[in-house]
Amino acid sequence: MSLNLKTNTEHFTNPLYLESGRILEPYDITYETYGEMNEEKSNIVVISHALTGSHHAAGTYEGESKAGWWDGLIGPNKAIDTNKYFVICSNVIGSCFGSTGPMSLQHPHHEPYRYKFPVVTIKDMVKAQRILFDRLDIHRVHAIVGGSMGGMQALQFAIHYPNFAKHIVALATTHATQPWAIAFNKVAQESILNDPDFKQGYYDPELIKEQGLSGMAVGRMAGHISFLSHESMSEKFGREYKRTDGLYELFGKFQVESYLEYNGNNFTKWFDPLAYLYITKAINIFDISRGFDSLQEALTKIKANLHLISFRNDLLFKNFEMKELAHELQNINNTNHSYTDIDSSYGHDAFLVELEKFDFMIKDILDGNTKL
């Protein structure tokens, strides 16, 4: 069977009331679907994306060489099997891939919001998705699966919409963003803000797409360091030197330097700098216990079967952060959860790269073969 890849955008004119007290109206949400919904609507799986991800989680568009970011996991006969499940992934508000974000046109002025765009939180992103699902007449889903910032969204769904999903799978994430991750985001934010070509937020987006933004590239290099690990860098690059460069040239490069440079520069041509600032802000202030007296109180709201998956050498969201979550769930006698720490030396990006280490777990969870 085919993937049955479809992309749509829904337009909303009702105000979206944000956690900050601000209002967003009107707004759009772009989303992608795969597979077919059954008559009972009992086979729906929601995918939530990470910081630089989008609704394009699987398959390829015409003329596209690179498949969606979780293509190895989603599709016919894959772990999230589109022969069985109807899969939906939406682009978060604040992003730059079709849903309303800081470079969207502000109604009725036809000028981009830029800094007039309100700060959005992970909770706001999830609320907007919930409104989208209501519009699509989806009121309960089989599962929600997400890694990193996608895992944050999955946890927010579990707490604020406790009857919405039967299973929640959160990978490589945390219950509250810790100083280590905030510090890496700070480097990226400052690099963008201090680039003269950023023009204090009043840059020409077309020019950035063409030329890139060197400050953002530097910030992204810092991000890449946090996504990998000491071991994966040693394995991937060792101390290999760029063949065309001389060892005693001042600007001669090790392979790891070339890799960071290439990825950093390339990234700035397809991801908007203001969207990056807004989404890293949302990640920094993420804390599922906000609005509750304690983390324990927040966790008492969960009714779904919650599956937590961490990666041993994740430097960005350390595995003990998810262990702590599992420990708190035990303390409140929550028997509907599982916690697995994957033996991986790859680092944070293992949830995107080392699919073979956990895809069978997700398959078992979706198929109901996991005992809690």
Side-chain angles (χ1 to χ4, degrees), residues 6-10 29-34 55-56 61 86 88-91 97 99 132-133 135-136:
K6 291 178 184 171
T7 309
N8 294 286
T9 299
E10 287 287 333
I29 299 179
T30 296
Y31 66 98
E32 200 161 277
T33 62
Y34 324 90
H55 54 286
H56 184 33
Y61 296 117
F86 176 71
I88 180 166
C89 180
S90 71
N91 186 215
F97 297 110
S99 295
L132 168 71
F133 298 141
R135 165 81 60 93
L136 300 177

mmCIF file of all heavy atoms in Angstrom, residues 6-10 29-34 55-56 61 86 88-91 97 99 132-133 135-136:
data_model
loop_
_atom_site.group_PDB
_atom_site.id
_atom_site.type_symbol
_atom_site.label_atom_id
_atom_site.label_comp_id
_atom_site.label_asym_id
_atom_site.label_seq_id
_atom_site.Cartn_x
_atom_site.Cartn_y
_atom_site.Cartn_z
ATOM 1 N N LYS A 6 -0.786 13.404 2.408
ATOM 2 C CA LYS A 6 -1.605 14.577 2.067
ATOM 3 C C LYS A 6 -1.237 15.738 2.980
ATOM 4 O O LYS A 6 -1.001 15.544 4.172
ATOM 5 C CB LYS A 6 -3.098 14.262 2.240
ATOM 6 C CG LYS A 6 -3.637 13.271 1.223
ATOM 7 C CD LYS A 6 -5.089 12.957 1.474
ATOM 8 C CE LYS A 6 -5.594 11.887 0.513
ATOM 9 N NZ LYS A 6 -6.941 11.419 0.888
ATOM 10 N N THR A 7 -1.220 16.957 2.423
ATOM 11 C CA THR A 7 -0.919 18.158 3.205
ATOM 12 C C THR A 7 -2.079 19.132 3.097
ATOM 13 O O THR A 7 -2.612 19.348 2.009
ATOM 14 C CB THR A 7 0.367 18.833 2.683
ATOM 15 O OG1 THR A 7 1.398 17.861 2.599
ATOM 16 C CG2 THR A 7 0.823 19.938 3.623
ATOM 17 N N ASN A 8 -2.468 19.709 4.231
ATOM 18 C CA ASN A 8 -3.575 20.665 4.261
ATOM 19 C C ASN A 8 -3.252 21.811 5.207
ATOM 20 O O ASN A 8 -2.424 21.663 6.114
ATOM 21 C CB ASN A 8 -4.860 19.987 4.771
ATOM 22 C CG ASN A 8 -5.358 18.915 3.821
ATOM 23 O OD1 ASN A 8 -5.887 19.213 2.773
ATOM 24 N ND2 ASN A 8 -5.163 17.659 4.195
ATOM 25 N N THR A 9 -3.949 22.919 5.024
ATOM 26 C CA THR A 9 -3.867 24.034 5.971
ATOM 27 C C THR A 9 -5.281 24.436 6.374
ATOM 28 O O THR A 9 -6.156 24.599 5.517
ATOM 29 C CB THR A 9 -3.142 25.249 5.346
ATOM 30 O OG1 THR A 9 -1.812 24.852 4.996
ATOM 31 C CG2 THR A 9 -3.049 26.404 6.341
ATOM 32 N N GLU A 10 -5.509 24.549 7.678
ATOM 33 C CA GLU A 10 -6.802 25.004 8.194
ATOM 34 C C GLU A 10 -6.661 26.437 8.686
ATOM 35 O O GLU A 10 -5.666 26.777 9.344
ATOM 36 C CB GLU A 10 -7.269 24.108 9.349
ATOM 37 C CG GLU A 10 -7.741 22.730 8.926
ATOM 38 C CD GLU A 10 -9.103 22.735 8.229
ATOM 39 O OE1 GLU A 10 -9.917 23.648 8.486
ATOM 40 O OE2 GLU A 10 -9.341 21.820 7.421
ATOM 41 N N ILE A 29 -3.050 26.552 10.680
ATOM 42 C CA ILE A 29 -2.261 25.384 11.068
ATOM 43 C C ILE A 29 -2.124 24.470 9.848
ATOM 44 O O ILE A 29 -3.130 24.070 9.248
ATOM 45 C CB ILE A 29 -2.887 24.602 12.238
ATOM 46 C CG1 ILE A 29 -2.988 25.500 13.481
ATOM 47 C CG2 ILE A 29 -2.063 23.350 12.561
ATOM 48 C CD1 ILE A 29 -3.614 24.827 14.684
ATOM 49 N N THR A 30 -0.884 24.200 9.482
ATOM 50 C CA THR A 30 -0.605 23.286 8.370
ATOM 51 C C THR A 30 -0.324 21.905 8.953
ATOM 52 O O THR A 30 0.354 21.782 9.968
ATOM 53 C CB THR A 30 0.596 23.797 7.553
ATOM 54 O OG1 THR A 30 0.236 25.056 6.975
ATOM 55 C CG2 THR A 30 0.971 22.836 6.433
ATOM 56 N N TYR A 31 -0.872 20.891 8.323
ATOM 57 C CA TYR A 31 -0.690 19.529 8.837
ATOM 58 C C TYR A 31 -0.587 18.526 7.695
ATOM 59 O O TYR A 31 -0.979 18.816 6.560
ATOM 60 C CB TYR A 31 -1.832 19.148 9.799
ATOM 61 C CG TYR A 31 -3.195 19.043 9.150
ATOM 62 C CD1 TYR A 31 -3.718 17.811 8.755
ATOM 63 C CD2 TYR A 31 -3.969 20.183 8.919
ATOM 64 C CE1 TYR A 31 -4.968 17.706 8.158
ATOM 65 C CE2 TYR A 31 -5.211 20.102 8.320
ATOM 66 C CZ TYR A 31 -5.708 18.865 7.943
ATOM 67 O OH TYR A 31 -6.935 18.762 7.332
ATOM 68 N N GLU A 32 -0.054 17.374 8.029
ATOM 69 C CA GLU A 32 0.152 16.315 7.032
ATOM 70 C C GLU A 32 -0.491 15.027 7.562
ATOM 71 O O GLU A 32 -0.447 14.767 8.772
ATOM 72 C CB GLU A 32 1.664 16.113 6.851
ATOM 73 C CG GLU A 32 2.043 15.422 5.567
ATOM 74 C CD GLU A 32 3.520 15.664 5.227
ATOM 75 O OE1 GLU A 32 3.834 16.711 4.652
ATOM 76 O OE2 GLU A 32 4.347 14.800 5.551
ATOM 77 N N THR A 33 -1.072 14.255 6.687
ATOM 78 C CA THR A 33 -1.672 12.974 7.097
ATOM 79 C C THR A 33 -1.147 11.843 6.222
ATOM 80 O O THR A 33 -0.737 12.054 5.078
ATOM 81 C CB THR A 33 -3.217 13.003 7.003
ATOM 82 O OG1 THR A 33 -3.611 13.221 5.640
ATOM 83 C CG2 THR A 33 -3.812 14.086 7.891
ATOM 84 N N TYR A 34 -1.184 10.633 6.807
ATOM 85 C CA TYR A 34 -0.727 9.418 6.113
ATOM 86 C C TYR A 34 -1.699 8.298 6.465
ATOM 87 O O TYR A 34 -2.207 8.236 7.592
ATOM 88 C CB TYR A 34 0.678 9.012 6.575
ATOM 89 C CG TYR A 34 1.592 10.181 6.867
ATOM 90 C CD1 TYR A 34 1.653 10.734 8.143
ATOM 91 C CD2 TYR A 34 2.392 10.746 5.874
ATOM 92 C CE1 TYR A 34 2.467 11.819 8.419
ATOM 93 C CE2 TYR A 34 3.209 11.832 6.135
ATOM 94 C CZ TYR A 34 3.244 12.364 7.415
ATOM 95 O OH TYR A 34 4.042 13.439 7.686
ATOM 96 N N HIS A 55 5.540 19.649 9.980
ATOM 97 C CA HIS A 55 4.475 18.663 9.744
ATOM 98 C C HIS A 55 4.939 17.566 8.794
ATOM 99 O O HIS A 55 4.312 16.514 8.728
ATOM 100 C CB HIS A 55 3.250 19.368 9.149
ATOM 101 C CG HIS A 55 3.578 20.155 7.922
ATOM 102 N ND1 HIS A 55 4.256 21.361 7.971
ATOM 103 C CD2 HIS A 55 3.368 19.913 6.596
ATOM 104 C CE1 HIS A 55 4.438 21.822 6.744
ATOM 105 N NE2 HIS A 55 3.923 20.962 5.885
ATOM 106 N N HIS A 56 6.030 17.795 8.066
ATOM 107 C CA HIS A 56 6.484 16.836 7.047
ATOM 108 C C HIS A 56 7.336 15.740 7.705
ATOM 109 O O HIS A 56 8.556 15.781 7.687
ATOM 110 C CB HIS A 56 7.266 17.571 5.960
ATOM 111 C CG HIS A 56 7.685 16.699 4.819
ATOM 112 N ND1 HIS A 56 6.937 15.639 4.369
ATOM 113 C CD2 HIS A 56 8.799 16.729 4.020
ATOM 114 C CE1 HIS A 56 7.553 15.055 3.363
ATOM 115 N NE2 HIS A 56 8.683 15.696 3.134
ATOM 116 N N TYR A 61 7.796 14.667 -1.167
ATOM 117 C CA TYR A 61 7.001 15.397 -2.152
ATOM 118 C C TYR A 61 7.664 15.238 -3.515
ATOM 119 O O TYR A 61 8.835 14.879 -3.605
ATOM 120 C CB TYR A 61 6.932 16.887 -1.794
ATOM 121 C CG TYR A 61 6.222 17.183 -0.504
ATOM 122 C CD1 TYR A 61 6.895 17.777 0.567
ATOM 123 C CD2 TYR A 61 4.872 16.883 -0.349
ATOM 124 C CE1 TYR A 61 6.238 18.062 1.759
ATOM 125 C CE2 TYR A 61 4.216 17.167 0.834
ATOM 126 C CZ TYR A 61 4.901 17.760 1.886
ATOM 127 O OH TYR A 61 4.250 18.030 3.054
ATOM 128 N N PHE A 86 -4.002 5.764 10.912
ATOM 129 C CA PHE A 86 -4.113 7.066 10.256
ATOM 130 C C PHE A 86 -3.246 8.023 11.071
ATOM 131 O O PHE A 86 -3.497 8.257 12.257
ATOM 132 C CB PHE A 86 -5.570 7.537 10.251
ATOM 133 C CG PHE A 86 -5.763 8.923 9.685
ATOM 134 C CD1 PHE A 86 -5.603 9.167 8.324
ATOM 135 C CD2 PHE A 86 -6.115 9.985 10.514
ATOM 136 C CE1 PHE A 86 -5.782 10.442 7.801
ATOM 137 C CE2 PHE A 86 -6.302 11.260 9.999
ATOM 138 C CZ PHE A 86 -6.142 11.494 8.639
ATOM 139 N N ILE A 88 -1.278 11.674 11.789
ATOM 140 C CA ILE A 88 -1.390 13.114 11.535
ATOM 141 C C ILE A 88 -0.289 13.862 12.287
ATOM 142 O O ILE A 88 -0.025 13.575 13.454
ATOM 143 C CB ILE A 88 -2.807 13.631 11.912
ATOM 144 C CG1 ILE A 88 -2.933 15.131 11.648
ATOM 145 C CG2 ILE A 88 -3.171 13.307 13.349
ATOM 146 C CD1 ILE A 88 -4.386 15.623 11.663
ATOM 147 N N CYS A 89 0.369 14.786 11.591
ATOM 148 C CA CYS A 89 1.425 15.602 12.204
ATOM 149 C C CYS A 89 1.185 17.044 11.796
ATOM 150 O O CYS A 89 1.086 17.347 10.606
ATOM 151 C CB CYS A 89 2.802 15.145 11.724
ATOM 152 S SG CYS A 89 4.163 16.102 12.438
ATOM 153 N N SER A 90 1.055 17.945 12.780
ATOM 154 C CA SER A 90 0.817 19.354 12.437
ATOM 155 C C SER A 90 2.035 20.199 12.776
ATOM 156 O O SER A 90 2.782 19.897 13.695
ATOM 157 C CB SER A 90 -0.428 19.879 13.160
ATOM 158 O OG SER A 90 -0.181 20.008 14.536
ATOM 159 N N ASN A 91 2.221 21.272 12.000
ATOM 160 C CA ASN A 91 3.288 22.229 12.258
ATOM 161 C C ASN A 91 2.851 23.129 13.415
ATOM 162 O O ASN A 91 1.739 23.647 13.405
ATOM 163 C CB ASN A 91 3.526 23.047 10.987
ATOM 164 C CG ASN A 91 4.716 23.978 11.075
ATOM 165 O OD1 ASN A 91 4.709 25.060 10.523
ATOM 166 N ND2 ASN A 91 5.751 23.587 11.784
ATOM 167 N N PHE A 97 6.756 26.883 8.758
ATOM 168 C CA PHE A 97 6.455 25.956 7.656
ATOM 169 C C PHE A 97 4.967 25.895 7.342
ATOM 170 O O PHE A 97 4.445 24.845 7.015
ATOM 171 C CB PHE A 97 6.999 24.560 7.979
ATOM 172 C CG PHE A 97 8.499 24.529 8.127
ATOM 173 C CD1 PHE A 97 9.089 24.318 9.364
ATOM 174 C CD2 PHE A 97 9.321 24.748 7.038
ATOM 175 C CE1 PHE A 97 10.467 24.297 9.512
ATOM 176 C CE2 PHE A 97 10.701 24.740 7.166
ATOM 177 C CZ PHE A 97 11.282 24.513 8.410
ATOM 178 N N SER A 99 2.209 27.034 9.431
ATOM 179 C CA SER A 99 1.377 27.490 10.547
ATOM 180 C C SER A 99 1.779 28.930 10.885
ATOM 181 O O SER A 99 2.876 29.371 10.565
ATOM 182 C CB SER A 99 1.563 26.583 11.764
ATOM 183 O OG SER A 99 1.094 25.280 11.468
ATOM 184 N N LEU A 132 -7.464 22.244 16.237
ATOM 185 C CA LEU A 132 -7.407 21.676 14.884
ATOM 186 C C LEU A 132 -8.115 20.321 14.850
ATOM 187 O O LEU A 132 -8.931 20.053 13.954
ATOM 188 C CB LEU A 132 -5.951 21.504 14.437
ATOM 189 C CG LEU A 132 -5.728 20.655 13.179
ATOM 190 C CD1 LEU A 132 -6.217 21.372 11.929
ATOM 191 C CD2 LEU A 132 -4.254 20.264 13.017
ATOM 192 N N PHE A 133 -7.821 19.460 15.831
ATOM 193 C CA PHE A 133 -8.420 18.116 15.833
ATOM 194 C C PHE A 133 -9.939 18.194 15.995
ATOM 195 O O PHE A 133 -10.674 17.419 15.379
ATOM 196 C CB PHE A 133 -7.792 17.248 16.922
ATOM 197 C CG PHE A 133 -6.310 17.030 16.733
ATOM 198 C CD1 PHE A 133 -5.441 17.023 17.816
ATOM 199 C CD2 PHE A 133 -5.770 16.858 15.472
ATOM 200 C CE1 PHE A 133 -4.073 16.836 17.647
ATOM 201 C CE2 PHE A 133 -4.401 16.668 15.281
ATOM 202 C CZ PHE A 133 -3.560 16.667 16.373
ATOM 203 N N ARG A 135 -11.787 20.604 14.847
ATOM 204 C CA ARG A 135 -12.242 21.004 13.503
ATOM 205 C C ARG A 135 -12.323 19.780 12.585
ATOM 206 O O ARG A 135 -13.201 19.685 11.736
ATOM 207 C CB ARG A 135 -11.272 22.060 12.956
ATOM 208 C CG ARG A 135 -11.317 22.360 11.477
ATOM 209 C CD ARG A 135 -12.423 23.311 11.048
ATOM 210 N NE ARG A 135 -12.376 24.632 11.643
ATOM 211 C CZ ARG A 135 -11.776 25.692 11.101
ATOM 212 N NH1 ARG A 135 -11.127 25.570 9.938
ATOM 213 N NH2 ARG A 135 -11.825 26.864 11.691
ATOM 214 N N LEU A 136 -11.374 18.851 12.758
ATOM 215 C CA LEU A 136 -11.332 17.653 11.907
ATOM 216 C C LEU A 136 -12.214 16.530 12.446
ATOM 217 O O LEU A 136 -12.177 15.402 11.950
ATOM 218 C CB LEU A 136 -9.878 17.160 11.784
ATOM 219 C CG LEU A 136 -8.869 18.153 11.178
ATOM 220 C CD1 LEU A 136 -7.465 17.571 11.188
ATOM 221 C CD2 LEU A 136 -9.276 18.559 9.767
#
